[in-house]
Amino acid sequence: MGFESGSFSFHAFYLSKAFEPSAIELFAKRALPPIKTLTGGEPLHGWAGPLHALDGELTEAHCWRGDWLWFSHVTAQKKVPPSLFRATLLSELELERRARNVEVLPRAAKADVRERVQEALLKEAQPSFGSVECAIDLRGQRLLASAMNDGAMQVLCPFFRETAGAMPVLCCPESAAYRLCGVDFNSVEAVNLTPNEQVEAVPEITLGTEFLTWLFYRWEREEATFDFDGERCGLMFEGPLLFSGEKAPGCHETVLRNGTPLDTPEFGIALWNGKKLRRAKLTLTKGDWVVAATVDGNDFAFRSMKVEPAGQKGKSAAAAPDAVEGMPSLNAPGAVPAPQEERRKLGVDERLDRAAFYVDAFLHLYKQFLELRSDPVRWRGQLSGVRRWIAGRAGQDKA
């Protein structure tokens, strides 16, 4: 599913300049070429409208939604299924061997047959499409893109720069630390969150996983609200939970899912053994906005984001209250059931606005963590509290 409906996944990118709605003309100049020009195994790259891979309408009227420019980067390529290629190749090699009346084909002959089969199958192959949905926030210098792996980002970012003159920079723990607080993560002192002295010290800095672990500690101490953008906001953690630690004894990853992963003893054991919270489902709220996503502390990827649709509660005047249940009674003459809450489907701009709120609120909390982490005195006091919490969670606080 994409930005328009259902759950969606994305990375956030910083842009070096702001954009206007008219900037879509730049992308229209690099639109996806006609599919008929696709030959051989070389891919075609280009921009398309937001509706589908062959949406060629790159105009303001079509792509400008609220405060967002919404479009896609599309890659088209002819690919031969490996099973079809192998079967056809073996068949052709056998025919070639019989035609030459030899026991074993020479290596050069095999290479010629392989090349001939590949070329013939590519001519008949249908193109396959890869699409990365993109949305530029016109209020700020930011891009949201559904590129979720390194390969997709390595194709998208240079092509975006060639088109629009601005190189997208991934919003990850390291880049966000520098932009939010001017913190160079290489200069941050490495520490173990666990009080377990048997765990080997980790020289690498992992600010993202430290932040998620700290945020869970803060939330569990009943600090489930925070002030952001002039409003009181809330946060809540849910499972499944992924803990990781390269220097942890035994396995380097622990996954807790099903049941009650937040309350399980394995939670504290994972932290005690030097692992940190790497991935969790985090819900953020503001007013009637409820946005949930699975966040990865390694690269700040936002996966399976869900936004609650807008709703209005309705009341039934004909239904009399039931004295026992406190619910509308259906026994009174003329009584009808109370209507369910009416929900309105959100437009793509409203959904993107909520996604932007989620990213901004998440980075606001990250900034609070960075301010603590870069202050040796305050961090020492915070670290002692985190370690007591981990010891308590692991059942190691009993003297």
Side-chain angles (χ1 to χ4, degrees):
M1 306 297 283
F3 292 156
E4 189 176 23
S5 63
S7 62
F8 54 101
S9 304
F10 63 89
H11 276 107
F13 295 83
Y14 294 111
L15 297 175
S16 58
K17 68 177 185 180
F19 286 81
E20 297 292 334
S22 59
I24 197 63
E25 297 176 1
L26 298 174
F27 297 90
K29 293 177 181 178
R30 301 292 300 274
L32 181 70
I35 298 302
K36 63 182 180 181
T37 63
L38 183 61
T39 59
E42 293 299 319
L44 290 177
H45 295 277
W47 303 103
L51 301 184
H52 51 77
L54 296 178
D55 183 3
E57 188 177 354
L58 284 161
T59 62
E60 284 188 34
H62 189 57
C63 300
W64 181 17
R65 310 294 174 90
D67 293 309
W68 299 85
L69 275 182
W70 181 35
F71 53 95
S72 298
H73 173 260
V74 178
T75 303
Q77 187 175 14
K78 286 187 174 183
K79 291 184 178 180
V80 179
S83 58
L84 175 60
F85 175 75
R86 175 176 171 77
T88 307
L89 177 61
L90 292 176
S91 175
E92 291 297 321
L93 286 173
E94 179 62 17
L95 290 175
E96 186 71 15
R97 186 191 68 79
R98 291 179 180 180
R100 291 176 179 241
N101 194 24
V102 294
E103 290 294 328
V104 179
L105 280 175
R107 182 177 299 179
K110 289 182 179 180
D112 291 339
V113 173
R114 175 182 289 271
E115 184 177 350
R116 186 172 68 245
V117 168
Q118 180 74 14
E119 184 178 349
L121 290 177
L122 280 175
K123 286 183 179 179
E124 301 298 328
Q126 295 299 315
S128 60
F129 296 94
S131 180
V132 174
E133 208 164 357
C134 301
I136 297 176
D137 189 351
L138 300 178
R139 295 162 298 189
Q141 297 169 201
R142 177 168 51 191
L143 167 72
L144 305 185
S146 62
M148 299 307 293
N149 56 65
D150 291 341
M153 288 188 283
Q154 288 171 3
V155 172
L156 171 69
C157 293
F159 196 71
F160 188 99
R161 180 186 60 186
E162 293 173 11
T163 302
M167 183 68 172
V169 177
L170 178 65
C171 175
C172 61
E174 294 78 14
S175 63
Y178 185 77
R179 285 178 176 261
L180 292 172
C181 296
V183 173
D184 181 0
F185 78 100
N186 291 312
S187 64
V188 177
E189 180 185 3
V191 296
N192 267 353
L193 296 184
T194 176
N196 186 355
E197 296 179 355
Q198 297 180 358
V199 175
E200 182 181 352
V202 180
E204 294 83 7
I205 303 298
T206 55
L207 287 177
T209 54
E210 281 188 20
F211 165 59
L212 284 185
T213 307
W214 169 84
L215 189 61
F216 197 105
Y217 158 74
R218 164 186 166 149
W219 172 71
E220 196 162 71
R221 291 189 310 159
E222 299 183 354
E223 292 188 34
T225 59
F226 60 98
D227 293 320
F228 172 69
D229 201 21
E231 294 192 43
R232 197 68 173 164
C233 301
L235 65 96
M236 180 180 69
F237 277 92
E238 298 178 70
L241 306 174
L242 170 63
F243 297 86
S244 66
E246 292 185 2
K247 299 296 183 179
C251 67
H252 295 163
E253 288 190 351
T254 300
V255 181
L256 305 180
R257 58 163 55 93
N258 300 329
T260 55
L262 275 64
D263 300 326
T264 185
E266 286 81 358
F267 184 108
I269 293 172
L271 294 173
W272 178 258
N273 287 324
K275 297 184 180 74
K276 300 169 187 173
L277 183 58
R278 174 184 161 185
R279 188 179 297 172
K281 183 178 179 181
L282 178 64
T283 300
L284 300 178
T285 65
K286 181 180 75 168
D288 62 349
W289 287 15
V290 180
V291 191
T294 298
V295 184
D296 195 307
N298 276 359
D299 61 356
F300 286 175
F302 303 97
R303 292 182 169 88
S304 302
M305 178 170 284
K306 296 180 180 179
V307 298
E308 290 291 333
Q312 296 179 347
K313 295 183 178 180
K315 297 182 179 180
S316 174
D322 189 294
V324 178
E325 300 290 342
M327 298 292 290
S329 173
L330 300 183
N331 296 322
V336 297
Q340 298 294 322
E341 182 178 350
E342 298 178 2
R343 292 181 178 270
R344 175 181 61 83
K345 181 180 178 181
L346 298 175
V348 65
D349 58 320
E350 295 175 295
R351 288 164 56 83
L352 289 169
D353 285 344
R354 284 158 173 76
F357 151 71
Y358 190 97
V359 174
D360 288 337
F362 181 81
L363 293 177
H364 171 77
L365 294 169
Y366 184 50
K367 182 178 180 181
Q368 292 183 353
F369 166 75
L370 292 171
E371 291 171 348
L372 277 173
R373 190 66 172 84
S374 58
D375 186 326
V377 176
R378 294 176 63 197
W379 177 242
R380 194 178 304 117
Q382 190 79 180
L383 185 58
S384 63
V386 172
R387 286 175 171 170
R388 287 194 302 270
W389 169 68
I390 292 176
R393 269 290 202 157
Q396 302 292 329
D397 58 342
K398 302 178 180 63

